[in-house]
Amino acid sequence: MRDWLWSPEEVKDTPSVRAGMSLANEAKLRREGIRLIMEVGTGVRAKAWPTIGTAAVYFHRFYMFHTFQEFPREMTAMGCLFLAGKVSETPKKCKDIVTAAQNVFPSVYGQKNRNAFVDEIMGIERVLLQTMKFDLQVDLPYQYLIDYSKKFKLTKPEINSLVHTSWTFVNDSSFTVLCLIWEPQVIAVALLHLSITVRKVNIGLPECWWDEYIANLSNSLIDDICHKVLDFYSISKEEKMDFMPPRPFVLGQTPIMPAAAAGPSS
């Protein structure tokens, strides 16, 4: 079993980059793939922890071995979501993922034949299994947020509020490659620290409160991780994803109708 971590230099030298893609374009395709996972995952009522988070990690790991040129992000994303549901014991039917994908992102998936779409998801799942050599268990930062925050000298509502903010940061960190470089414990510490800083909370502990959990974790390293997430927010403000849906879709609710198919407004 490998540890599934790479150096920052290795993460910049991916198969896609070696095949001629710019690092900026690869990063954009990663963000788009994670957005597809999150939106369709929400559509099939998957939770961030564990299903969507696990799918996001699979997605990032996959492209350390394969190229976006060979495996389009939209199919890999659905394969990751399908496999993550099985592994995290929150299985979603493949046909439900297809339904959600075609309703949430009609411009991406709407023209696909449903049966062929199911077959494609099954096919990419097999490639995922081979790529990861069936080493499918993923440790995510969420539980560590809860565990570490218990030591903070705050009221329960204050801790809950701090964890909620950190949870959002962890969700958004999925758009970055942090999960390829750092252990989930380190990410949890860094994003708790970011929440403490943003909310200007005094947790009643020494400045390096994380020493109890992770030794030799420097402030500069934590700041670097925080800036990776903050950089994502800066990029996402400027970046337009043309395929984004006009409103959310949730399985069992009214599907999104393309504008051309909608009747006249009353």
Side-chain angles (χ1 to χ4, degrees):
M1 299 291 183
R2 58 176 298 154
D3 62 8
W4 296 104
L5 294 177
W6 289 263
S7 70
E9 292 73 26
E10 288 172 325
V11 170
K12 294 177 182 177
D13 186 33
T14 62
S16 297
V17 170
R18 292 197 296 272
M21 182 176 290
S22 71
L23 189 60
N25 193 35
E26 196 216 36
K28 182 174 185 290
L29 290 175
R30 284 183 183 271
R31 290 191 295 272
E32 290 179 351
I34 299 304
R35 179 63 69 192
L36 293 167
I37 288 170
M38 286 189 171
E39 297 292 338
V40 176
T42 300
V44 294
R45 302 179 187 273
K47 293 183 178 180
W49 179 37
T51 310
I52 293 174
T54 298
V57 172
Y58 288 168
F59 185 85
H60 285 302
R61 289 178 180 177
F62 182 81
Y63 286 107
M64 293 303 294
F65 298 94
H66 299 283
T67 68
F68 282 99
Q69 293 94 321
E70 182 179 4
F71 293 95
R73 47 94 164 103
E74 61 269 17
M75 288 313 305
T76 304
M78 295 304 97
C80 290
L81 184 60
F82 182 54
L83 180 58
K86 291 181 178 180
V87 173
S88 61
E89 299 183 355
T90 56
K92 305 299 176 185
K93 294 179 181 178
C94 197
K95 65 179 183 179
D96 288 343
I97 291 176
V98 166
T99 296
Q102 292 189 321
N103 277 282
V104 177
F105 296 110
S107 64
V108 179
Y109 302 108
Q111 301 304 312
K112 286 183 174 291
N113 174 275
R114 285 180 58 83
N115 291 333
F117 193 176
V118 168
D119 289 342
E120 285 186 75
I121 292 175
M122 298 289 192
I124 196 68
E125 181 193 29
R126 289 192 290 272
V127 180
L128 282 162
L129 289 169
Q130 293 164 3
T131 299
M132 293 185 283
K133 302 185 186 304
F134 292 84
D135 183 7
L136 303 174
Q137 295 303 315
V138 172
D139 196 13
L140 298 169
Y142 298 101
Q143 184 63 52
Y144 299 107
L145 297 179
I146 297 169
D147 293 343
Y148 297 163
S149 66
K150 288 177 180 177
K151 291 293 184 74
F152 297 165
K153 299 184 185 304
L154 299 170
T155 65
K156 188 172 181 179
E158 288 172 332
I159 289 176
N160 289 343
S161 179
L162 199 61
V163 169
H164 184 271
T165 302
S166 305
W167 199 282
T168 299
F169 287 146
V170 170
N171 288 345
D172 293 338
S173 75
S174 295
F175 289 95
T176 76
V177 293
L178 285 173
C179 68
L180 298 178
I181 302 172
W182 296 110
E183 296 88 348
Q185 297 93 324
V186 174
I187 295 172
V189 164
L191 298 183
L192 270 172
H193 174 71
L194 180 58
S195 299
I196 292 165
T197 303
V198 168
R199 298 178 68 89
K200 299 179 180 178
V201 176
N202 181 358
I203 62 172
L205 294 175
E207 181 183 2
C208 297
W209 55 267
W210 53 82
D211 284 347
E212 178 181 350
Y213 309 106
I214 305 172
N216 304 316
L217 189 56
S218 68
N219 278 286
S220 61
L221 192 152
I222 287 178
D223 288 344
D224 183 63
I225 292 173
C226 293
H227 281 295
K228 292 289 191 298
V229 176
L230 296 175
D231 288 345
F232 160 69
Y233 292 134
S234 298
I235 292 169
S236 63
K237 284 182 181 178
E238 305 296 329
E239 188 171 71
K240 182 180 180 183
M241 295 185 182
D242 294 331
F243 57 80
M244 283 302 296
R247 63 183 175 86
F249 166 84
V250 178
L251 201 66
Q253 297 181 3
T254 304
I256 296 169
M257 295 295 292
S265 58
S266 55

